[in-house]
Amino acid sequence: MKQYMKAFILSDASILVRFSFFMLLLMMMMTLLQIFSSGSSINGRNMFSHRMFMSTAGTAKASILPYIIHLKGPVANGYGRGSKTLGFPTANLPYFNDSLTESNLSNGVYCGWGKVSNSNSIYKCISNIGISPTFAGEENKVRIVESFLLDPSKSLPEDFYGQSLQVSLCYFLRPEHKFSNIQDLIAQIKSDVSNAENILNDQTDESKDSKIQLQAIKLLEEVNDSSIMFKLVK
């Protein structure tokens, strides 16, 4: 009888272990499915391709957009937070709130290429689209495109209000997030800038990534007027 009870207990424990393993596996599969299905859409289409850049730690860092987000307009005065508070001077384009909403573009951090009207140079660019939720009580009243041009030569002035800025964004880095303090936000921006640098470094091969970057740069070279413009270019 004791042997029978022992075998029964062991059998019962084995079933419990198998059931627990099955439930854990099911939860992992559901989590992965949610991650891949939660991307925003443009006109009903999934906004991001499944091609992702990977960090050395193996974490997904950026998604290629199926459209280049091509924006242009005169740089407007902002809240002065970029250079004074964060150490990253940004150029603000506050003209696209309705277009962003109509296109179902998510708030978040994007990267691509940018150009200022008085310069022939084209710069790597990182842009936040959103309301700056970390600044509680002082959020943007509308969704603003705030762009930081990566300028290692320091040839650009700290601000260029009134000048026309173009950006061609082709990658989505992460959703906009409300950080608990400014220090955490600054640390994340530094990580975003480093990530954008790595993504935008190579346009020499024939991959889809290089082709979309070259197309984004070409768009900046073709438009020279100072009008306000919002386009999704496939």
Side-chain angles (χ1 to χ4, degrees):
M1 184 66 179
K2 289 183 179 180
Q3 289 181 345
Y4 175 78
M5 289 298 294
K6 183 178 180 181
F8 178 79
I9 292 170
L10 288 174
S11 176
D12 194 46
S14 176
I15 292 173
L16 182 61
V17 169
R18 291 179 183 178
F19 179 75
S20 299
F21 177 77
F22 173 77
M23 291 301 296
L24 178 62
L25 185 62
L26 182 62
M27 289 174 65
M28 291 174 63
M29 292 176 65
M30 291 178 66
T31 301
L32 288 172
L33 182 62
Q34 184 177 9
I35 290 172
F36 283 109
S37 64
S38 62
S40 298
S41 62
I42 298 176
N43 296 330
R45 298 185 179 183
N46 194 313
M47 185 176 170
F48 313 126
S49 77
H50 292 296
R51 161 92 186 212
M52 291 187 176
F53 288 87
M54 309 299 287
S55 71
T56 54
T59 304
K61 286 291 184 178
S63 301
I64 305 171
L65 301 175
Y67 296 87
I68 295 171
I69 306 170
H70 189 198
L71 311 174
K72 181 168 63 69
V75 176
N77 289 351
Y79 292 85
R81 299 184 291 229
S83 56
K84 295 176 183 177
T85 304
L86 303 176
F88 294 91
T90 57
N92 299 312
L93 299 178
Y95 314 107
F96 308 113
N97 184 67
D98 292 343
S99 298
L100 293 168
T101 300
E102 291 166 4
S103 301
N104 295 322
L105 288 173
S106 294
N107 287 357
V109 181
Y110 298 74
C111 71
W113 300 86
K115 182 177 183 290
V116 184
S117 57
N118 69 342
S119 172
N120 292 322
S121 299
I122 292 176
Y123 301 90
K124 297 172 185 175
C125 170
I126 184 168
S127 298
N128 185 78
I129 296 177
I131 61 169
S132 299
T134 300
F135 296 90
E138 299 179 356
E139 298 93 341
N140 304 338
K141 294 179 181 179
V142 296
R143 299 167 74 192
I144 294 177
V145 181
E146 301 175 87
S147 298
F148 173 63
L149 301 183
L150 282 58
D151 177 28
S153 65
K154 306 297 182 184
S155 60
L156 285 170
E158 188 168 291
D159 60 63
F160 26 89
Y161 297 129
Q163 296 182 41
S164 181
L165 171 69
Q166 284 189 75
V167 295
S168 289
L169 306 174
C170 38
Y171 299 94
F172 181 84
L173 298 182
R174 63 172 177 86
E176 188 175 46
H177 178 72
K178 183 176 181 177
F179 292 88
S180 58
N181 57 69
I182 299 300
Q183 289 71 31
D184 288 349
L185 174 58
I186 292 172
Q188 181 61 58
I189 294 173
K190 289 179 179 179
S191 176
D192 293 337
V193 169
S194 176
N195 190 21
E197 283 273 17
N198 292 332
I199 292 168
L200 300 170
N201 265 342
D202 186 12
Q203 315 121 52
T204 57
D205 61 33
E206 291 299 314
S207 69
K208 178 181 177 182
D209 312 310
S210 292
K211 288 178 180 178
I212 196 170
Q213 289 192 49
L214 292 172
Q215 184 184 2
I217 292 171
K218 186 177 180 181
L219 288 172
L220 300 179
E221 294 172 336
E222 291 176 346
V223 180
N224 294 308
D225 63 81
S226 59
S227 61
I228 295 173
M229 180 186 72
F230 175 95
K231 286 184 180 180
L232 300 179
V233 181
K234 192 168 182 180

